[in-house]
């Protein structure tokens, strides 16, 4: 391992407070897109994405269902690309989420949905991407070029952009997000010591379960992906609601559980399943503004914010943990083996 390993990932994690500030300063552009969506009054929302963007889309699904009270679902791109399905999408909102805007399957899904009557919105980090051209409307997440293969700043920026879009559709002004740049800076600096302790605690671990409920479920899924792709851990993510069904059988004293829990209904719902997991001897690391309320062996606190914005902050120590574990285990998280920045699927 060289001194430069992980430098891009570290830099890009640190850039997020400034990126959040920039997004908030340019919120009017997102609000214009939202005004068109609100005017069209969609009856349903579909979200299309892959990889980390799929986790951001799951977050958006919770936002749409909770803040807009519209039914929402995650699209299955292969129904279009492989099976040629052409459902009637009249009065449906399709939001395609892609950091690069270059994935062929998402491009095809967006083009097909537009032909079938959907209002299409592309949310990308590449303003001149094919996906942006295919969609009727587009939102630029403004994260700048990401050099590390593992998505960090683009993921956080996408979460905030999706929140600002949904909030504006309901007539919001983004005021709940106003302090996010400051809170993100606090999260990255004040939590670093606890992250470093977690790295020392889990550096020789081979198996981890990540879990959360509500908005934080997206963070749990993204945490498992980040740990798997940078540290090569065997990491699986589950909803806290499902943890006590089948998955709990695989949890024992040799398993670490990364639990996302922030103040609000989702975090409160995590207490019971985590108490049961703790009884099985699992080592629980709680991350979030409700970490102090969770039965855990280790805690990484996160500042309190509106529950629907918690994933924007929760993911920051997760990214720091993935970076630290990768380096401690002798890997270069900037260049995970077998991965490319843009994955082209169909």
């Amino acid at each position: 391992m060289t001194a430069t390993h992980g430098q891009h990932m570290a830099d890009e994690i640190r850039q997020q407070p400034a990126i959040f500030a920039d997004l908030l300063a340019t919120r009017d552009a997102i609000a214009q897109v939202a005004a068109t969506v609100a005017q069209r009054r969609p009856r349903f929302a579909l979200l299309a994405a892959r990889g980390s963007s799929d986790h951001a889309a799951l977050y958006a699904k919770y936002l749409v269902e909770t803040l807009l009270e519209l039914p929402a679902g995650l699209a299955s791109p292969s129904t279009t690309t492989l099976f040629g399905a052409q459902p009637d999408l009249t009065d449906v909102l399709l939001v395609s989420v892609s950091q690069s805007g270059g994935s062929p399957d998402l491009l095809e899904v967006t083009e097909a949905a537009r032909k079938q009557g959907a209002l299409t919105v592309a949310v990308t980090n590449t303003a001149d991407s094919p996906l942006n051209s295919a969609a009727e409307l587009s939102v630029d997440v403004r994260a700048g070029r990401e050099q590390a293969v593992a998505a960090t700043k683009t993921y956080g920026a996408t979460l905030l952009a999706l929140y600002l879009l949904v909030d504006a559709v309901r007539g919001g002004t983004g005021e709940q997000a106003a302090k996010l740049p400051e809170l993100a800076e606090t999260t990255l600096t004040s939590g670093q010591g606890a992250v470093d302790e977690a790295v020392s605690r889990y550096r020789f671990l081979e198996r981890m379960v990540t879990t959360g409920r509500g908005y934080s479920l997206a963070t749990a899924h993204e945490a498992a992906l980040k740990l798997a792709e940078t540290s090569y851990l065997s990491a699986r993510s589950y909803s806290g609601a499902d943890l006590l069904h089948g998955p709990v059988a695989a949890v024992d004293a040799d398993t670490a559980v990364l639990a996302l829990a922030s103040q609000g209904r989702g975090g409160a719902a995590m207490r019971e399943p985590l108490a049961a997991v703790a009884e099985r001897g699992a080592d629980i690391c709680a991350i979030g503004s409700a970490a102090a309320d969770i039965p855990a062996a280790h805690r990484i606190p996160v500042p309190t914010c509106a529950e629907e914005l918690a994933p924007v902050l929760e993911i920051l120590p997760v990214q720091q943990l993935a970076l630290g574990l990768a380096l401690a285990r002798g890997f270069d998280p900037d260049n995970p083996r077998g991965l490319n920045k843009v994955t082209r699927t169909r």
Side-chain angles (χ1 to χ4, degrees):
M1 184 176 67
T2 70
T4 59
H5 281 183
Q7 191 59 55
H8 290 317
M9 187 175 178
D11 290 344
E12 288 159 4
I13 291 171
R14 286 289 312 158
Q15 290 169 23
Q16 289 175 95
I19 291 168
F20 297 164
D22 176 66
L23 259 178
L24 288 166
T26 56
R27 175 192 165 277
D28 286 351
I30 298 176
Q32 289 176 12
V33 174
T36 301
V37 174
Q39 184 179 30
R40 298 276 282 272
R41 298 178 62 85
R43 60 183 172 85
F44 190 89
L46 278 174
L47 298 120
R50 293 287 193 191
S52 287
S53 293
D54 198 37
H55 304 150
L58 176 61
Y59 168 65
K61 180 179 183 293
Y62 274 87
L63 290 174
V64 169
E65 292 182 337
T66 304
L67 303 187
L68 301 183
E69 297 187 330
L70 282 178
L74 299 177
S76 301
S78 63
T79 60
T80 297
T81 61
L82 299 184
F83 298 99
Q86 297 183 4
D88 180 3
L89 297 181
T90 304
D91 297 330
V92 170
L93 170 66
L94 176 90
V95 181
S96 301
V97 187
S98 170
Q99 294 150 20
S100 69
S103 181
D105 54 352
L106 296 183
L107 178 60
E108 188 173 339
V109 166
T110 303
E111 291 173 337
R114 191 169 181 179
K115 290 178 182 177
Q116 294 302 117
L119 170 60
T120 53
V121 180
V123 178
T124 79
N125 191 44
T126 310
D128 59 353
S129 70
L131 186 61
N132 283 46
S133 299
E136 183 175 341
L137 303 169
S138 62
V139 171
D140 183 359
V141 306
R142 303 176 62 86
R145 184 186 176 196
E146 197 168 49
Q147 293 180 288
V149 171
T152 52
K153 67 178 182 177
T154 53
Y155 181 76
T158 299
L159 294 183
L160 179 53
L162 287 166
Y163 171 79
L164 292 174
L165 176 64
V166 174
D167 178 63
V169 170
R170 68 169 173 169
T173 63
E175 61 181 344
Q176 293 279 17
K179 294 184 178 179
L180 273 182
E182 174 187 337
L183 295 176
E185 186 65 40
T186 299
T187 301
L188 289 170
T189 54
S190 66
Q192 185 64 64
V195 169
D196 291 342
E197 291 177 19
V199 169
S200 297
R201 188 179 189 95
Y202 303 123
R203 65 176 297 182
F204 299 112
L205 188 74
E206 292 301 328
R207 188 174 63 187
M208 179 175 281
V209 168
T210 64
T211 184
R213 285 202 69 179
Y215 297 106
S216 297
L217 179 58
T219 314
H221 289 338
E222 177 65 6
L225 176 61
K226 279 293 160 289
L227 292 166
E229 69 184 358
T230 59
S231 303
Y232 314 138
L233 275 169
S234 176
R236 293 289 303 273
S237 58
Y238 299 98
S239 165
D242 295 328
L243 198 58
L244 298 185
H245 293 201
V248 73
V251 175
D252 56 27
D254 295 323
T255 307
V257 176
L258 194 67
L260 284 305
S262 288
Q263 296 290 340
R265 296 180 181 181
M270 289 298 297
R271 293 172 191 164
E272 181 180 352
L274 289 176
V277 168
E279 289 179 2
R280 296 183 65 88
D283 189 299
I284 298 174
C285 176
I287 296 179
S289 57
D293 303 327
I294 297 299
H298 187 68
R299 296 178 175 86
I300 303 176
V302 172
T304 301
C305 64
E307 183 177 11
E308 60 266 27
L309 280 164
V312 182
L313 298 180
E314 290 171 346
I315 196 58
L316 301 177
V318 169
Q319 293 170 349
Q320 289 177 311
L321 179 60
L323 169 65
L325 283 173
L327 295 175
R329 291 157 70 91
F331 306 127
D332 180 7
D334 285 343
N335 296 287
R337 61 194 183 207
L339 296 183
N340 296 308
K341 189 63 184 170
V342 179
T343 301
R344 300 187 179 278
T345 53
R346 187 173 183 275

